[in-house]
Amino acid sequence: MTQIDQFISDFASFVWGIPLVILLIGGGIFLLIYSRFLPFRYLGHSIEVLRGKYNNPNDPGDINHFQALSTALSSTVGMGNIAGVAVAIALGGPGAIFWLWVSAVVGMATKFFTNSLAVMYRGKDTEGKIQGGVMYFIVEGLGKKWKPLAVFFAVAGLVGALPVFNVNQLTQAINYILLEPNNIETGFTTSLIIGIILTLITTVVIIGGLDRISKTVSKLVPAMVALYFVSVLIILFVNYDVVFHYFGMIFTDAFAANNYKGDPLLGGVLGGLILLGIRRGAFSNEAGIGTATMAHGASKTSEPIREGLIAMLGPAIDTLVVCTLTAMAILVTDVWQTEDVNGVSLTAAAFEQAIPYVGNYLLLLCILAFSISSLFSYSYYGTKCLSFLLGAKNKKYYNYVYILSIIVGATTSLSFILNLIDGFFALMAIPTMISTLIMAPRVMKAAKIYFKKYTT
């Protein structure tokens, strides 16, 4: 097991090398400049679209704009925001959050382009149903000769969509917050029981398909973000005297890397810190990875640019708001200076310290909502990938593997799980970014027509 763990760690480090960072962040910066900062210039219009101002029930697609964003957010606003941020701070200190923010700002532009393409070039599965996603816009937009790149994305997506990280951290949270304080011995057996319960809950929802998933998460997502927001505000209020000190450290440590404990990149500690922030940012908001294109590609709309505007709100909500809340809670309570790098337990320690007796349970409620909603959405992504590879009639078989992986996630080590998903997310980013950069001029051409029509 140790050898497998090391192999997966080496694999994740290899694919998250300089070429991928240049493709993901360099490509995102290019799209931001190329679009003349369009995501920020039309932020108000995107909120109007989200509120349903332009909804048309006769448009093609399966779900409305809000449900599409909720489905995409339910997969990104998850344990990456609680456990992933904790891992980033434990390894990189406050400065890692600055690079997390950079990835989010750049990611807004990336999301605009990728999800506009997801609607612009929708394809049909073997049952004749309209589908969206990176694999479809590669084939429909670039032609059949590019299909190997689409297949590469779909194969990587089969692993990248597995829920193992969320399950692993939810299991750890239940053990740390609920069972251990009540003198219940934790170990393989308790983790297995938790995994079985999660399997049963997930099975009921995912068998209902996208309609049940989208309706469930569109209720869960706003409620869980609101509860988490209020909880962290209480923590910041209790520690108000150090809030500005630590907020400032996010900027000063971003370039000094005083607290970085990870591996250097190209011999430099700062390079390692930047890469840490970008990896955790990609895991948190998945900008440039491509999973959200499968949710937004199913949106009821005949305007691709409109869906791109909705999608770009994802990194803003997910990373700039939710991840920052987690970071500040961990920093102001000083728990980040402990040796615990097991993700969620670090965040739990912050809640326990600032809100005695109930803080842990508030966090557990948020974690349950975050994790379970993520379990629903990722199953949809995996079935879409398998449907593309082997035909729509075979997509149900992915759910069997998916459900089995919940048990694996509950009973396996964090480092193995984190590196596995990190590695396959990196592989998914390669076809997503290459195809998006090639077709970016088409998106801008459509954007000019759209904004002339709707904002004049």
Side-chain angles (χ1 to χ4, degrees), residues 242-253:
V242 293
V243 168
F244 290 109
H245 168 71
Y246 280 116
F247 192 75
M249 276 186 72
I250 291 173
F251 294 92
T252 55
D253 274 28

Side-chain angles (χ1 to χ4, degrees), residues 276-288:
L276 173 67
I278 290 168
R279 274 177 74 167
R280 297 280 60 79
F283 187 80
S284 168
N285 60 50
E286 79 81 62

Side-chain angles (χ1 to χ4, degrees), residues 4-163:
I4 295 172
D5 205 352
Q6 186 58 49
F7 173 77
I8 295 296
S9 176
D10 292 343
F11 156 69
S13 296
F14 172 75
V15 289
W16 272 103
I18 294 295
L20 184 71
V21 173
I22 292 170
L23 181 64
L24 200 58
I25 297 300
I29 291 169
F30 167 78
L31 293 173
L32 191 62
I33 296 168
Y34 180 64
S35 68
R36 296 177 185 174
F37 297 87
L38 184 146
F40 303 100
R41 289 191 286 125
Y42 291 101
L43 203 57
H45 182 68
S46 66
I47 292 168
E48 284 182 345
V49 174
L50 183 64
R51 290 172 59 192
K53 184 176 179 180
Y54 301 98
N55 281 1
N56 182 350
N58 298 317
D59 279 343
D62 297 322
I63 52 180
N64 65 37
H65 292 299
F66 182 74
Q67 288 174 329
L69 182 63
S70 293
T71 303
L73 274 176
S74 70
S75 61
T76 59
V77 179
M79 292 308 293
N81 302 82
I82 296 177
V85 172
V87 170
I89 293 174
L91 288 175
I97 303 306
F98 177 84
W99 299 109
L100 204 72
W101 290 343
V102 170
S103 77
V105 172
V106 171
M108 288 179 73
T110 306
K111 281 252 182 157
F112 169 74
F113 279 88
T114 55
N115 291 284
S116 292
L117 287 168
V119 176
M120 193 180 293
Y121 294 107
R122 289 198 262 214
K124 288 186 179 179
D125 61 20
T126 53
E127 292 177 343
K129 291 181 181 176
I130 292 175
Q131 300 287 357
V134 173
M135 56 283 201
Y136 290 101
F137 76 59
I138 288 174
V139 174
E140 300 298 322
L142 296 176
K144 299 290 184 187
K145 65 181 179 182
W146 288 83
K147 190 171 182 179
L149 199 64
V151 169
F152 183 87
F153 174 85
V155 170
L158 293 176
V159 180
L162 291 176

Side-chain angles (χ1 to χ4, degrees), residues 167-168 170-176 178-180 183-198 406-407 409-412:
V167 172
N168 178 277
L170 176 55
T171 304
Q172 186 178 316
I174 293 171
N175 285 335
Y176 181 86
L178 197 61
L179 303 184
E180 289 172 9
N183 299 316
I184 297 172
E185 189 176 342
T186 58
F188 179 82
T189 304
T190 53
S191 296
L192 183 62
I193 292 168
I194 292 167
I196 291 169
I197 293 168
L198 290 175
I406 294 175
I407 304 291
T411 55
T412 312

